[in-house]
Amino acid sequence: MEPVAATVYPNYDSVGRAILEAFPIIDFLPVWLVALVIMVVVAACAIVFILVFEGVGSLVLRKLAGDIQSRVGPNRVGPYGCIQFLADGVKLILKEDLKPAACDRVLFRLAPYLAFVGSCAGLVVIPFAVGMIAADLDIGIYYVMAVSSLVSIGILLGGWASNNKWSLVGAMRGAAQIVSFEIPVAMSIIPVILVAGSLSTQEIVRSQGGLFGIFNWNLFHNPFLFFSFFVYLTAAQAETCQTPFDLPECESELVQGFMTEYSGIRFGYFFLGEFGELFVVCALATAGYLGGWHIPFLDAGNLGWFWGNLLSLGVFLTKTFTLVLVSMWLRWTLPRTRVDQLMRMCWKYLVPLTFFNLLGVSLWLLIFDGKGIPAMIAALFG
Amino acid sequence: MSQGPAKRKPIKSNIFDVVPAPAEIPQNVLQKNFERVRACKGGEGIIEVGIADLFINWCRKNSLWYLYYATACCGIELMQGGASKYDFDRFGAVFRATPRQADMLMTAGTITHKMAERVQRIYAQMPEPKYVIAIGACTITGGPFYKDSYSVVKGVDLILPKVDVYVPGCPPRPEAWIEGIRNLQNLIMKTKNYGLKKA
Amino acid sequence: MKTLSAQEIFEKLKGKFGDGVVSLQTESVNPPFAVVPPGSIQEVCRFLKEDPDLLFDYLVCISGVDHKDKFAVAYHVYSTEHRHRIGVKAMLPHDNPVIPTVDVVWKAAIYLERETYDLMGIVFEGSCDPNRILLPDDWEGHPLRKDYIYPEQYHGIKI
Amino acid sequence: MTEPISKEALRTDEWTINMGPHHPSTHGVLRLELTTDGEIVSKARPSLGYLHRGLEKIGERVAWAQFMPFTDRLDYLAGMNCNCAYAWAVEKLAGIEIPERAEWIRVLVCELNRISSHLVAWGSFCADMGAFTPLLYGIREREWVNDLFEMVCGQRLTYNYARIGGVSHDLPPGFLEKTKEFCDYFEPLIDEYNRLITYNKILVHRLKNIGVISARDAIEWGLSGPNLRGSGFAYDIRRAEPYSVYPKLDFNVVVGHADRGTLGDCFDRYLVRIDEMRESVKIVRQVIDRIPDGPVMAKVPRVFKPPAGECYFRAESPRGETGFYLISDGGTNAYRLKIRTGSYMAMNIFEKISKGVMISDIVALIGSFDIILPETDR
């Protein structure tokens, strides 16, 4: 598959150089400084995005809960309660920052940041649009898997440092669960890498382009990938600790699990991290299986810089938010599994299934020379 | 509702009081804030502080997370208040299981002497600013157990330092709870966080 | 299933224990009580439970009653097999209310006896869990006694 | 080849966790002292009394009729059942015959209240299992019953409807039609609940084979009501020792039948409650069809003094046997008033069956017993 125009994804040095050329007035600045400033700006954009996503997401979560539970949900703050998250956020920031007397002060403070950073760092390699990606790393998927492990460290530290037994139980559960479910998550995303032939997320998305509309998505590439998508969703639901797998913070058993002793904005960081991770896994599913930013029957690369990016961003976010909604829908519907059942599910069913699936995909690619079913059907009809 | 012992605060909720419609509250408070600022010859900075006060209070009043804390009969009304028909979530009030993340303690149900220490501890565990609504006859005065029971605390204000709003009833209907929450919101809008404390 | 009347049950008890069973109390009492001395309560209960014609396998309730000059412990038992019921009552002196436990006969007695001890101050000898259950451990007195005086305060909180 | 690890080196310490009295899933102020080895509970000792309000002492200090409101607070989820049980007990003690219509009304409101109580039991059980939505569905339906009770007596939760000698008011006009409407609305919903969550695989796996109580054990430890019937033993006081007009009514005693897993596990106790709602609807329909006209209150003197005597009366409330042991000395007050409740006895067996389960199952156990704390603590 031919790469689309090579200039669409940014290289900070070249952008910095271009800016210096465009504005001779700041010519005296070194290129690295300009590049650094741009990086900071991009990071700020990502943080703002995740904050807004968290705000809107929490509101949607509550509204959706209202719909499912035949309630109304927040509707007093702003029209239809749409700035509820602002009130919640400001209130959390202004709350007293309690530290239990017996807690480990350093680790107690550190834990929420780790959880937050771990989930937000994944944003770096999310291909938002045809030309919008913070850094198109060659090891993109590998990077996401690596940094998202920081979350489990944050959870473990938080539970341990709180010096609360419920927190510790929650933290142990969380660590075991997240580390275990990394494996099925990774193993069910590897088939995508095999098909695309690259670890770079942008490359994976690009490999799903073409003019068959949605049939170029990896989801329909072959039966194994179709299956693999749902395994990924299940495992990702567990990795992000959403109901029915929200064991680290299960409200009815462990009070609030590892977050029990956290108040104010430190709790807010955990909350943000949770939503950030939810977004990252859903975005990865979109990029890996649902064609990423590809607009069906349209080549976003040919639309020009502005419209191409805008439309593809919209498409990408729509797909991702659909997955987020599915996750929330599950969250309000299903009861919770028990910890041993969860582990059994992971090690006895999901892990072997994903291995089998990986084998299937490899054989498929070997036998059919990397062609998917839609491509073969298309070849059949000329 | 009868006046309790002398140490109680005068601010009490009464469901028969005329309460301004919710839409009017911010305007009134805004006006009052500006009047306060005008009365104080401190310069322009104070206006910003007044508006910051307003904003902070607005945020706090619209995000009153309550502790999922129920001891007795009123607890069922707490559940029903959070459910389909009444839905406290409309006012931004969601329940939290841990006191660390709660803003508001609704003492729903009888407090016994065995329980009193735990209530105090739960209150101490909540971060500032925290508010207490005494729900139901039992937590206001001991209710039906006032005279004959040997093990019921005669009012939650004997064991907690402050109670912001009292909602009478045995148990109060969820409408009365909502009234109590709204009264608490009015109360929050009147608090001063910055600036004019000394004046 | 063979439902026996209270009189028949009492006759069976009388036949087994002779003069050990004091009397049958039927006057304005429902269900009637077989009054037994406190010392033989365990044997009587075991017989009630294990005799094939009686089979009182379900201990419904244990209540302590303060009759001012003496205590009474009332056991209500029921047979799920024969569907008959009877009460067993033992009278205790007021100054030293001690009675053997029946939790070796019915496990249901554990909590019922704990409660009776807690609120009435009747000591069940040999009980596997002789602690207070409803009131705090450092509570003084047993509230259901007729001569109980309400304390002024508990841990500094006025009662 | 490494050396075999000695058992001593693998020894782990047990720790004690305090669960409650403020915990989201202890249904109030139950406190459990858990001794656990990791997630496995080796001992769970209930510690009661955080809601001990001295109802029995109050019963000795207030007049017979004045105790009626306190029975509402005895089991606030099933106030009508406790009201009527107390009224029946006092009437039995005093030998009062109450009008036929009053008996039918009592049965009607008792069964309606059984439905609303089981709805909350079901909902909060599901909420304990992590599914929050069923709780709100249960309460949504409960609001219907609350509205009906509000028509009857003006209260939503603490009714104070029964009186010694009858009930306080006749049914308001239109009540029976509204109740019929509720039955028509509610009966299909039970199937919807089953579709929504009952046979959900996660829930079934959480509940089956957990907390198994054999019928023999259940009787030995004094369980009653749905907890006993969940063990497969058909013992319902409405049938075993019929009172009021229950002998004239046609309904089945629901028992657990090992639908998934072992007989007497949490899932059986759960299913018994679901099916009992159906039976209650059946009873309500019969009562609506057959309720006679007439007065609702017998002639009871204003200063009520039952003759001296003792009486033990038991009735089937949603949480098992609610028994009143009343002793009268002929005065205006009870000489002794002892209340025997189902939840209290359920806590009795808790320590026994909670050995070796996991922390998550403790929550399931509490939920499956459907305990309510004012009943245990009184």
Side-chain angles (χ1 to χ4, degrees):
Chain A
M1 212 165 279
E2 277 186 31
V4 201
T7 52
V8 287
Y9 53 97
N11 176 328
Y12 289 103
D13 275 355
S14 60
V15 174
R17 239 175 251 123
I19 286 180
L20 285 181
E21 279 168 20
F23 301 99
I25 208 160
I26 50 167
D27 211 1
F28 57 91
L29 291 174
V31 173
W32 63 263
L33 189 63
V34 178
L36 188 70
V37 168
I38 297 169
M39 279 184 207
V40 169
V41 168
V42 169
C45 286
I47 296 286
V48 167
F49 172 78
I50 206 72
L51 286 179
V52 171
F53 171 73
E54 188 269 346
V56 177
S58 68
L59 183 73
V60 169
L61 182 71
R62 280 162 77 170
K63 279 286 191 189
L64 196 71
D67 277 357
I68 289 177
Q69 298 163 351
S70 66
R71 292 188 291 127
V72 184
N75 68 348
R76 284 293 192 278
V77 193
Y80 303 102
C82 63
I83 46 173
Q84 176 70 45
F85 65 91
L86 184 70
D88 283 340
V90 174
K91 183 212 69 176
L92 277 181
I93 292 170
L94 292 171
K95 279 299 254 194
E96 184 189 4
D97 182 21
L98 275 179
K99 284 182 288 298
C103 75
D104 186 323
R105 305 222 150 196
V106 179
L107 298 186
F108 188 79
R109 289 177 181 192
L110 186 65
Y113 303 127
L114 276 182
F116 180 58
V117 166
S119 68
C120 291
L123 283 181
V124 168
V125 291
I126 299 298
F128 281 99
V130 60
M132 278 172 76
I133 180 165
D136 189 9
L137 300 181
D138 289 339
I139 50 163
I141 299 285
Y142 187 66
Y143 167 81
V144 174
M145 292 298 144
V147 293
S148 65
S149 303
L150 271 181
V151 176
S152 67
I153 297 178
I155 287 177
L156 193 56
L157 280 189
W160 170 258
S162 301
N163 197 18
N164 177 325
K165 286 173 182 170
W166 293 114
S167 300
L168 187 56
V169 173
M172 294 309 236
R173 284 182 182 184
Q177 176 182 340
I178 294 175
V179 169
S180 304
F181 274 90
E182 293 262 300
I183 296 170
V185 167
M187 294 305 293
S188 55
I189 204 106
I190 284 180
V192 176
I193 300 172
L194 283 184
V195 172
S198 167
L199 276 165
S200 148
T201 47
Q202 194 71 302
E203 197 65 41
I204 288 172
V205 174
R206 231 176 275 126
S207 76
Q208 300 172 53
L211 293 177
F212 300 131
I214 64 168
F215 292 107
N216 264 68
W217 294 0
N218 276 342
L219 181 64
F220 304 114
H221 189 276
N222 63 47
F224 296 104
L225 275 172
F226 188 77
F227 174 73
S228 171
F229 172 68
F230 293 100
V231 173
Y232 175 82
L233 273 195
T234 313
Q237 189 85 358
E239 206 207 342
T240 51
C241 307
Q242 303 279 324
T243 314
F245 311 112
D246 61 339
L247 293 166
E249 52 155 325
C250 46
E251 217 154 48
S252 57
E253 289 160 27
L254 305 182
V255 191
Q256 275 281 306
F258 61 95
M259 296 195 280
T260 304
E261 295 288 342
Y262 281 92
S263 62
I265 194 60
R266 288 182 204 284
F267 159 70
Y269 274 122
F270 274 124
F271 198 65
L272 283 176
E274 202 176 282
F275 267 88
E277 225 193 336
L278 179 62
F279 179 81
V280 168
V281 294
C282 290
L284 267 191
T286 309
Y289 289 97
L290 302 185
W293 38 257
H294 274 299
I295 312 162
F297 310 109
L298 212 64
D299 191 353
N302 294 340
L303 283 176
W305 182 84
F306 181 74
W307 285 110
N309 270 337
L310 192 68
L311 278 182
S312 54
L313 177 69
V315 168
F316 181 83
L317 289 185
T318 311
K319 287 172 183 171
T320 309
F321 288 162
T322 311
L323 288 183
V324 170
L325 278 181
V326 169
S327 167
M328 288 174 179
W329 170 33
L330 288 177
R331 180 176 178 154
W332 292 119
T333 312
L334 292 176
R336 182 184 300 123
T337 56
R338 206 169 55 203
V339 60
D340 59 327
Q341 292 166 349
L342 185 75
M343 287 296 147
R344 195 182 308 139
M345 185 184 111
C346 178
W347 292 106
K348 279 194 173 167
Y349 301 106
L350 284 186
V351 170
L353 273 179
T354 46
F355 274 97
F356 167 76
N357 199 41
L358 183 61
L359 189 70
V361 174
S362 319
L363 287 177
W364 180 284
L365 292 181
L366 200 67
I367 293 168
F368 297 107
D369 197 20
K371 280 205 181 66
I373 290 177
M376 288 195 279
I377 292 174
L380 212 64
F381 291 103
Chain B
M1 204 192 67
S2 66
Q3 203 76 13
K7 60 178 278 196
R8 288 192 173 136
K9 286 191 171 183
I11 306 158
K12 290 194 179 182
S13 140
N14 188 333
I15 54 167
F16 302 112
D17 273 357
V18 182
V19 175
E24 292 171 23
I25 296 164
Q27 283 178 2
N28 288 347
V29 177
L30 198 67
Q31 272 177 0
K32 267 182 203 162
N33 262 288
F34 279 127
E35 276 162 22
R36 258 191 355 225
V37 171
R38 234 177 274 136
C40 173
K41 296 172 182 172
E44 288 162 11
I46 293 174
I47 293 177
E48 284 160 29
V49 168
I51 289 171
D53 244 9
L54 195 66
F55 178 65
I56 289 165
N57 288 339
W58 176 84
C59 289
R60 280 184 179 155
K61 87 163 195 189
N62 280 319
S63 169
L64 284 170
W65 295 356
Y66 59 92
L67 185 65
Y68 196 54
Y69 174 76
T71 53
C73 329
C74 297
I76 301 300
E77 291 286 46
L78 175 68
M79 274 157 65
Q80 295 183 355
S84 309
K85 199 167 175 181
Y86 298 100
D87 194 12
F88 293 158
D89 198 9
R90 288 179 296 157
F91 304 92
V94 291
F95 78 86
R96 302 305 304 177
T98 158
R100 300 281 189 203
Q101 292 150 19
D103 309 298
M104 172 166 69
L105 174 66
M106 297 210 263
T107 52
T110 320
I111 310 291
T112 60
H113 282 282
K114 200 173 178 180
M115 191 69 196
E117 216 172 288
R118 273 80 182 175
V119 179
Q120 285 169 333
R121 177 180 282 206
I122 284 171
Y123 181 76
Q125 281 174 337
M126 287 165 61
E128 292 282 352
K130 49 191 170 186
Y131 312 98
V132 179
I133 301 185
I135 298 280
C138 290
T139 52
I140 296 176
T141 60
F145 310 100
Y146 181 78
K147 185 157 167 278
D148 295 312
S149 178
Y150 48 86
S151 60
V152 171
V153 176
K154 311 288 191 289
V156 75
D157 44 8
L158 295 176
I159 53 173
L160 295 186
K162 65 155 189 179
V163 175
D164 295 290
V165 175
Y166 294 80
V167 181
C170 189
R173 299 177 58 92
E175 287 96 331
W177 293 58
I178 292 172
E179 181 71 35
I181 294 176
R182 272 173 54 186
N183 279 354
L184 180 63
Q185 289 182 336
N186 290 354
L187 217 76
I188 293 171
M189 284 309 276
K190 284 174 194 154
T191 50
K192 287 172 256 176
N193 302 305
Y194 300 110
L196 295 169
K197 261 179 193 164
K198 283 170 198 160
Chain C
M1 186 177 124
K2 202 175 89 195
T3 309
L4 301 180
S5 72
Q7 190 64 42
E8 288 166 322
I9 295 165
F10 183 68
E11 291 304 326
K12 277 193 85 78
L13 275 178
K14 201 92 181 164
K16 168 85 178 168
F17 291 99
D19 293 337
V21 187
V22 180
S23 63
L24 182 69
Q25 189 186 357
T26 51
E27 188 76 8
S28 67
V29 168
N30 186 354
F33 280 108
V35 182
V36 300
S40 62
I41 187 78
Q42 263 189 11
E43 289 83 57
V44 171
C45 285
R46 201 180 292 277
F47 175 71
L48 284 175
K49 187 187 178 190
E50 286 168 4
D51 188 85
D53 288 341
L54 303 177
L55 277 180
F56 283 104
D57 51 357
Y58 192 87
L59 175 63
V60 178
C61 188
I62 296 179
S63 335
V65 187
D66 184 358
H67 284 296
K68 287 182 180 148
D69 52 340
K70 59 186 189 290
F71 282 111
V73 184
Y75 302 78
H76 290 272
V77 288
Y78 177 78
S79 167
T80 53
E81 175 69 33
H82 299 306
R83 299 205 168 168
H84 47 218
R85 55 196 266 199
I86 196 172
V88 181
K89 199 182 250 184
M91 293 297 185
L92 312 177
H94 199 273
D95 49 346
N96 183 26
V98 180
I99 187 168
T101 177
V102 294
D103 65 10
V104 289
V105 185
W106 299 285
K107 295 286 187 207
I110 300 174
Y111 264 37
L112 293 168
E113 283 179 354
R114 271 180 82 180
E115 185 200 348
T116 312
Y117 163 70
D118 189 0
L119 300 181
M120 196 60 94
I122 293 168
V123 177
F124 291 86
E125 222 171 20
S127 170
C128 65
D129 196 353
N131 300 313
R132 278 188 183 269
I133 181 164
L134 294 179
L135 288 166
D137 288 341
D138 57 352
W139 191 272
E140 279 171 25
H142 302 280
L144 283 187
R145 290 189 176 186
K146 290 287 176 191
D147 55 359
Y148 180 71
I149 299 163
Y150 285 14
E152 284 292 309
Q153 60 171 23
Y154 174 73
H155 285 198
I157 303 164
K158 194 176 144 290
I159 286 178
Chain D
M1 186 83 189
T2 51
E3 281 179 32
I5 304 167
S6 71
K7 214 166 187 185
E8 189 57 29
L10 281 175
R11 195 182 63 87
T12 49
D13 272 339
E14 293 195 330
W15 65 353
T16 309
I17 311 185
N18 178 37
M19 184 171 180
H22 163 64
H23 187 280
S25 67
T26 50
H27 292 216
V29 287
L30 172 67
R31 174 163 165 252
L32 293 170
E33 293 155 24
L34 306 180
T35 310
T36 72
D37 182 3
E39 290 259 355
I40 312 284
V41 176
S42 50
K43 190 180 176 191
R45 187 179 158 81
S47 169
L48 307 176
Y50 288 92
L51 196 53
H52 175 63
R53 306 189 275 202
L55 282 182
E56 293 176 11
K57 189 76 174 176
I58 293 172
E60 294 172 15
R61 287 166 68 117
V62 298
W64 287 98
Q66 275 180 345
F67 190 66
M68 191 64 78
F70 291 95
T71 56
D72 287 320
R73 278 99 187 147
L74 171 64
D75 177 356
Y76 44 71
L77 278 177
M80 285 291 188
N81 291 71
C82 290
N83 271 184
C84 295
Y86 177 68
W88 275 318
V90 178
E91 283 149 15
K92 191 174 174 187
L93 178 71
I96 300 172
E97 281 285 316
I98 72 167
E100 177 89 13
R101 184 175 169 83
E103 291 277 17
W104 285 90
I105 291 177
R106 280 187 190 176
V107 169
L108 175 67
V109 291
C110 279
E111 293 307 319
L112 277 176
N113 208 340
R114 193 185 308 277
I115 293 172
S116 76
S117 167
H118 280 340
L119 276 173
V120 172
W122 167 74
S124 53
F125 187 27
C126 293
D128 290 349
M129 292 293 98
F132 195 67
T133 305
L135 173 64
L136 299 187
Y137 285 0
I139 289 177
R140 183 184 67 190
E141 267 69 82
R142 187 186 154 85
E143 290 281 351
W144 265 79
V145 185
N146 281 355
D147 288 347
L148 289 175
F149 284 156
E150 216 175 335
M151 282 177 78
V152 168
C153 63
Q155 254 288 19
R156 288 162 50 85
L157 196 65
T158 46
Y159 309 110
N160 192 17
Y161 181 53
R163 289 284 184 277
I164 296 165
V167 292
S168 68
H169 303 85
D170 201 349
L171 297 176
F175 177 81
L176 291 178
E177 289 74 42
K178 281 227 163 66
T179 313
K180 209 167 163 51
E181 213 176 291
F182 167 74
C183 291
D184 294 340
Y185 161 78
F186 179 68
E187 216 164 11
L189 280 177
I190 301 174
D191 294 324
E192 195 184 311
Y193 300 155
N194 282 345
R195 281 202 303 277
L196 171 69
I197 194 151
T198 301
Y199 294 105
N200 182 306
K201 202 142 192 172
I202 298 175
L203 189 82
V204 171
H205 277 273
R206 280 295 301 276
L207 299 185
K208 71 174 187 186
N209 300 334
I210 297 295
V212 179
I213 307 175
S214 66
R216 201 187 153 75
D217 268 357
I219 294 169
E220 172 82 18
W221 289 79
L223 290 191
S224 55
N227 298 333
L228 176 55
R229 291 196 283 277
S231 300
F233 189 79
Y235 173 68
D236 187 327
I237 299 166
R238 289 174 292 175
R239 277 274 181 266
E241 268 185 25
Y243 53 94
S244 192
V245 292
Y246 280 113
K248 299 178 191 168
L249 293 167
D250 166 40
F251 64 96
N252 301 325
V253 176
V254 182
V255 291
H257 48 276
D259 198 323
R260 306 273 194 278
T262 325
L263 185 65
D265 57 5
C266 288
F267 194 69
D268 278 342
R269 288 193 283 277
Y270 170 95
L271 270 191
V272 164
R273 295 206 170 80
I274 296 266
D275 290 343
E276 252 180 33
M277 288 197 273
R278 269 188 238 274
E279 296 301 321
S280 287
V281 172
K282 208 159 117 189
I283 296 177
V284 168
R285 282 189 196 280
Q286 290 174 48
V287 174
I288 293 172
D289 292 341
R290 294 168 59 184
I291 189 165
D293 282 334
V296 294
M297 193 68 190
K299 277 213 180 315
V300 178
R302 192 155 277 273
V303 181
F304 177 68
K305 286 184 185 171
E310 299 178 15
C311 152
Y312 183 84
F313 178 83
R314 45 200 198 144
E316 181 78 17
S317 92
R319 275 162 200 80
E321 172 178 338
T322 297
F324 282 93
Y325 176 46
L326 305 175
I327 301 180
S328 161
D329 59 353
T332 52
N333 298 4
Y335 185 78
R336 174 83 170 92
L337 190 153
K338 157 88 188 173
I339 309 164
R340 186 259 194 230
T341 54
S343 303
Y344 188 70
M345 301 314 290
M347 288 324 290
N348 194 3
I349 201 173
F350 193 84
E351 194 173 336
K352 175 176 181 286
I353 62 164
S354 60
K355 275 199 181 73
V357 301
M358 303 185 79
I359 292 179
S360 314
D361 299 331
I362 289 283
V363 175
L365 282 177
I366 299 173
S368 80
F369 281 136
D370 183 25
I371 53 160
I372 190 158
L373 268 295
E375 243 200 8
T376 63
D377 296 348
R378 301 189 287 289

